[in-house]
Amino acid sequence: MQYREEDLRRWRAMHKDRGGSYSWREIAEMEGLSRDAVKNAVRRYEMALEEKGAPSEKEVPSSVPDTEFPDRKERLAPGWGTEFLRKIAAIQRDMKALDTTQTTAHAVINTDLPIGIIFAGDFHVGGRGTDHELLLEDFEMWKALYPAIRVVGMGDYGEHFSGRMARIGVNQHVMPLDVQVETVMDVFTNDEVKHLWLTFLKGNHDGWAGAELSNYVMRMAEKCGVPFLGLGGDLYVTIGKVTYHLALWHRYPGASALNKGNNQRRVRIDHHTPDVVALAHLHNAYMEFGHTGGRDHIGLRCGAYKVTDEHARDVAGNVIADTRMPMVIFNPREKDMLYFEDYRKGVEPLLRLRREWHDHPSFKTDKNRLTALLGAS
């Protein structure tokens, strides 16, 4: 588009940087043109004057394209990425604050009496083969035993066969996935039991609940006010004057049919010789005692409340159900532990220790104690 020289001279004289009073935008609005059209035309006119040394008698061609798009959307100016990442980082900080998963946690039990910690897992609520009656019976027992005991949730609270495993769930579920979650939340976190828990782990079945449900274990921990260790981690429990290191995982690499304690051995190495290594997942209760580098250590695995499981029989060869949940009794005055592959076997020893603790605060029997016991018999 070409402009008359008289218009170019007039626009030039009107501009505030050239003796006038108007901006390019104001001149353009008066002329019914775009800002860039007026500005570029005047600049081309000035360049022509400088080259020829005198005003041109011809119209100065415009540098503005023949077709204009006055309302075309434009990208952000270069350099926008830095500020964009700052905003994303702020959002990520908020999202991280919503995730309470931690790999190391501490708990303090203020007592001078021995405490039994039960390592219970593989509940499989909602499974057709789950012994729900036994599960409820154990919950009643744990409530009656408090404050002498605490419980670690070892994972797999619901059955949750979904996704590619859904074909198994068709025959092995007695309640839908969402009902499993709601039932677990109600049974495990109500006011009568929430004080029993030390921590919750997440099992592989819990992850199968699906993205929209699989964070329910985190919500269980939040409702009970305890740490959520995710798939596994370290829990340091101070009982009285003594701190015990518990390495807790639902499952861990290194399972061996020949050496049932191989998983525990690997955890013990990776977690720098904890006092207790507790695992779940294989549905077989197992316990072992060792002494390494002058330190006692216990390795254990909990059983399961799932007593009929054709899938496990087919894949892992679990023929006989093992519903035992191990317990370790911790001394509050010196680092010393007693262990039972079935917590029910340890209930009476635990209660007897607590009852007689002030007269004999030790797991060991001395000469005077032995004489008194023999006399009593």
Side-chain angles (χ1 to χ4, degrees):
M1 184 174 183
Q2 294 182 335
Y3 303 100
R4 295 181 303 173
E5 187 171 348
E6 61 187 67
D7 290 329
L8 296 173
R9 287 197 301 269
R10 179 167 52 83
W11 295 343
R12 182 187 183 205
M14 291 172 64
H15 191 256
K16 59 185 179 181
D17 291 341
R18 293 162 174 79
S21 304
Y22 301 97
S23 67
W24 292 123
R25 187 175 302 280
E26 290 170 332
I27 297 171
E29 289 176 354
M30 285 186 273
E31 298 295 324
L33 299 171
S34 71
R35 170 186 176 279
D36 288 345
V38 173
K39 176 181 176 181
N40 292 337
V42 171
R43 287 187 173 180
R44 287 294 300 269
Y45 173 65
E46 290 175 338
M47 291 174 61
L49 290 177
E50 291 177 1
E51 290 176 359
K52 298 182 178 180
S56 173
E57 298 296 330
K58 299 180 180 180
E59 292 182 340
V60 179
S62 171
S63 61
V64 179
D66 290 342
T67 305
E68 299 181 20
F69 303 94
D71 59 353
R72 182 175 69 89
K73 293 188 66 175
E74 296 184 3
R75 285 174 58 85
L76 291 171
W80 60 268
T82 300
E83 184 59 30
F84 180 72
L85 290 181
R86 287 196 182 101
K87 294 176 181 177
I88 292 297
I91 293 171
Q92 287 177 303
R93 285 194 295 271
D94 290 343
M95 292 177 66
K96 188 175 181 179
L98 294 174
D99 184 353
T100 58
T101 307
Q102 56 191 106
T103 58
T104 301
H106 295 77
V108 178
I109 302 176
N110 297 309
T111 183
D112 189 42
L113 297 174
I115 290 290
I117 297 181
I118 299 170
F119 300 87
D122 290 296
F123 300 92
H124 294 278
V125 169
R128 182 175 180 176
T130 298
D131 191 340
H132 294 95
E133 186 174 2
L134 175 62
L135 187 152
L136 292 174
E137 182 181 313
D138 278 351
F139 267 75
E140 291 302 316
M141 182 80 78
W142 299 342
K143 287 190 289 184
L145 287 172
Y146 184 84
I149 62 98
R150 301 294 190 275
V151 186
V152 170
M154 295 296 296
D156 281 1
Y157 307 92
E159 183 73 314
H160 303 317
F161 282 113
S162 63
R164 63 183 181 85
M165 307 291 285
R167 58 184 178 79
I168 301 173
V170 169
N171 294 319
Q172 296 202 14
H173 284 166
V174 290
M175 59 178 75
L177 297 183
D178 59 333
V179 178
Q180 290 182 35
V181 170
E182 294 302 325
T183 303
V184 168
M185 291 289 294
D186 186 71
V187 171
F188 283 68
T189 67
N190 65 68
D191 290 340
E192 293 183 355
V193 301
K194 63 194 309 181
H195 52 277
L196 296 174
W197 304 102
L198 277 181
T199 187
F200 287 102
L201 305 181
K202 180 179 178 179
N204 58 304
H205 279 254
D206 302 314
W208 292 346
E212 70 281 4
L213 295 176
S214 63
N215 69 339
Y216 78 98
V217 184
M218 183 189 298
R219 292 192 287 122
M220 287 167 57
E222 183 177 357
K223 288 192 68 174
C224 294
V226 301
F228 173 54
L229 288 183
L231 297 174
D234 297 290
L235 180 66
Y236 294 87
V237 184
T238 300
I239 300 173
K241 299 178 181 179
V242 185
T243 298
Y244 294 90
H245 176 192
L246 314 182
L248 310 171
W249 288 84
H250 177 74
R251 60 179 178 178
Y252 204 79
S256 170
L258 297 177
N259 178 5
K260 291 185 177 181
N262 195 54
N263 292 87
Q264 288 85 345
R265 179 188 63 82
R266 291 191 58 173
V267 175
R268 189 166 62 251
I269 294 172
D270 294 345
H271 286 255
H272 309 294
T273 316
D275 300 298
V276 176
V277 173
L279 302 175
H281 185 58
L282 297 184
H283 296 197
N284 297 123
Y286 173 79
M287 296 202 77
E288 64 179 12
F289 172 82
H291 186 82
T292 304
R295 296 181 58 183
D296 294 339
H297 51 82
I298 294 172
L300 62 87
R301 187 188 303 279
C302 68
Y305 291 93
K306 190 172 182 178
V307 296
T308 303
D309 185 358
E310 288 191 354
H311 178 67
R313 291 183 65 184
D314 181 44
V315 175
N318 290 344
V319 177
I320 300 175
D322 189 347
T323 59
R324 295 173 296 175
M325 299 296 155
M327 178 173 71
V328 178
I329 301 176
F330 297 88
N331 189 321
R333 296 194 178 187
E334 60 178 331
K335 184 161 283 190
D336 198 7
M337 301 172 289
L338 299 175
Y339 54 98
F340 301 87
E341 83 283 354
D342 186 349
Y343 84 89
R344 291 170 182 258
K345 290 183 179 180
V347 168
E348 291 187 19
L350 172 62
L351 296 181
R352 184 168 58 251
L353 281 168
R354 289 172 63 89
R355 184 171 57 250
E356 301 173 358
W357 192 249
H358 293 296
D359 296 328
H360 184 71
S362 174
F363 290 175
K364 305 174 183 67
T365 299
D366 58 24
K367 181 180 178 180
N368 294 332
R369 177 72 171 169
L370 178 60
T371 301
L373 290 172
L374 290 173
S377 62

